[in-house]
Amino acid sequence: MTGRFPLTSKRDPAVKRVALVGNCIPRRCGIATFTYDLCRALTNAGRAEIFIAPVNDVPEGYDYPDPVWFEISEKKLDSYRQAADFLNLHDVDVVCLQHEFGIFGGPAGRHVLALLRGLSMPVVATLHTVLADPTNDQREVMKGLVDVVDRFVMLSERGGELLREVYDVPSQQVEVIPHGIPSMAFVDPSFYKDKFGVAGRHVLLTFGLIGPGKGIEQAIEAMPRIVERHPEALYLIVGATHPHLLRDQGEVYRIGLQRLARQLGVEKNVIFHNRFVSDAELDEFIGAAEIYLTPYLSKAQICSGTLARAVGAGKAVVSTPYWHAEELLADERGVLVPFDDPGAISDAVNDLLDNEVQRDAMRKRAFLSGRAMTWSAVALEYLDLFERCRLAPRKRTPVVAREHRGETLPVINLAHLRRMTDGTGMLQHSTHAVPNYDEGYSTDDNARALILVLMLDDVMNSATDELVGLASRYMSFLQYAFNPECGRFRNFLAYDHRHWLEDVGSEDSHGRSLWALGTLIDRCSKQTTREWAIRHFDAALPVVEGFTSPRAWAFSMIGIAEYLKRLPGHRTAQRTLRDLADRLMSLYRASSDTDWQWFEEYVTYCNAKLPHALLVAASCLDDEDMREVALSTLTWLCRVQTSDIGHFLPIGCDGFYPRGGERAVYDQQPIEAHATISATMAAHRATGAAMWLDEARRAFDWFLGGNDLGRPVCDPTTGGCHDGVHRGAVNANQGAESTLAFLMSRIEIRVADYETLRSGPAAGEVEIVIQPGSATEARSKDVPSASR
């Protein structure tokens, strides 16, 4: 379930969007209140946009407030995976998890690991419980959290010690940030007592969700001795029964407490407010109290939000010595009494009621210590931590939607392709997702667009008029681009008056045109269309022998290989393929050595196309030496393009990678990911080795967030793809080259996942949005056959 969310790209490397995962009001539990309060505090700090992804423990969910954008179904594992996809694809910089074993599905809340392992951004986890003696399931979940969480936030120092001692978490992975509290004035309790009709009485208070373990029966058992000495004493127990206890046992526990008060003769001195009170009401109850009682029964309590709130409000506190109380009430900020000792509780309360000076001094010490715990102060600590995590090296390799088995890969959405295509052809550039007419058209992009339509034809089963029309438009553009006087394709066409900006285009654009025509010749079943393509291919082939660009050679070689599948006896095509392949081999022999297994002195752009073309030629020409060089150079390139933590890291176009020099990291272009996917898929077809599928998936993960920024580059809402990864930001524009690179990659990676996983839709059933609208429309298994 989703709410309102703008998709944005930002150039500022600071944290701009944070997702809180946990529970949220109106669900009644401490973590729900904490999450919502933290969301408000972070939002009020004004440094980032904050939203919540809560976990629903009931099928109908809750009537959540606006900050909730996505809801997770507690028991459904797929819901956690879908949440990971949502967060990856919506520009989230940091995820802040609120963790408690009982709020997530699976044994010991194990389902949450599926969400965390699927995230591409840093994760900060606030642990509301750390167990000194966990069960086997709980220990396994904690181990899983340690593997994927970048920083743990503990709400107390003792929690941090347990995390290090019991779970071997490195100190640098642990931060201590106190439980937030509202900022309250230091007031005399008499100010609020009139509101509740308790003027002149000593008010003791316990608040929060009621249930066993809170030790309220111990405080009630202490009341007879307190009332004997201070008959005006009144014990207020404010809060509803915990919803899960109420669901499973009803009001048995509360009724037992009321019976105990009657049996002890203090029923008039013990008042229950059996409801979930608002923050404003709670502030008034706290304000009216002289003493706060927190008689928990177990030492293993690393944090109590109610205790933090009482201390921050400047209340005198009597508490059993659970971990958080020992820490928060040190230095005479409260009184600690033994567990299971009602007599000690009554002695401590009587002593404080007898000594107003001592009580007020304790209140002041507590109030002053609480200034560092106000939500405004806590929010700034969290935001500073988020920014440190955002800028720090990732502690894990991003794991993205691809792991959810093929069916959860982004749907192929052609909306942006349609948006960028007019009656002439496909426009080159866009401003964000708006076509930019000023930049006109290029033959490069229209050739790639034709290849895309033909790839769709390969994996689908029936034609659509729209895609047939798109293919015809791109073919017409290539026909118009060809200059028969010189046998060359022109590349750049202006939008105004549709005039060419050159008589001869780049060698690369010519090579890509041959690639598109060759693909059309091989895959088209319509005779007249195939004859058209052969005529243009034959006219454009001769000039290739004079080309000097290795990448133009490579594009041409792939097109020639496609051509030879249909017309294997064509001598000129065979000779040209052999000549171009030999040129690449000569470059390799002249440039390569053990440490530099490459064709040139620079690794520049569209790099994987060189080994890809050589591998294709080796298959056509049955040349084992070519095959070995193609595979060894592709292996070397994949190694160069893998980051230290294992994600795809293409060569940046701002300087490239000179031999013996420093490689450029930015800007990273989508065309590099697509070239790598195509080449590694070709290597898999040639060798059958699974390693090539792994490399293809690594490159595809770059589109989904498996990159240096941990941000998705594809945009499922538009069907487009951002124009690259900059230092600290994703390029906001979604041009033709990038969008085509993603769409072609998406088709090829679906084949990769099908070949190994055999799950989800079979080959020929790629999900695709072919009608106008968003990426959430009904999916069609009818695939256009634009050339038939």
Side-chain angles (χ1 to χ4, degrees), residues 339-362:
F339 291 106
D340 197 24
D341 191 343
I345 295 174
S346 60
D347 289 344
V349 170
N350 282 329
D351 188 45
L352 287 172
L353 293 179
D354 288 342
N355 192 333
E356 185 175 358
V357 173
Q358 175 191 350
R359 187 173 74 240
D360 286 347
M362 181 181 293

Side-chain angles (χ1 to χ4, degrees), residues 206 210 216 220 235-239 254 270-274:
T206 292
I210 305 302
I216 295 173
I220 293 175
Y235 182 27
L236 295 181
I237 302 168
V238 177
R254 183 185 297 274
V270 178
I271 305 298
F272 291 86
H273 269 271
N274 182 14

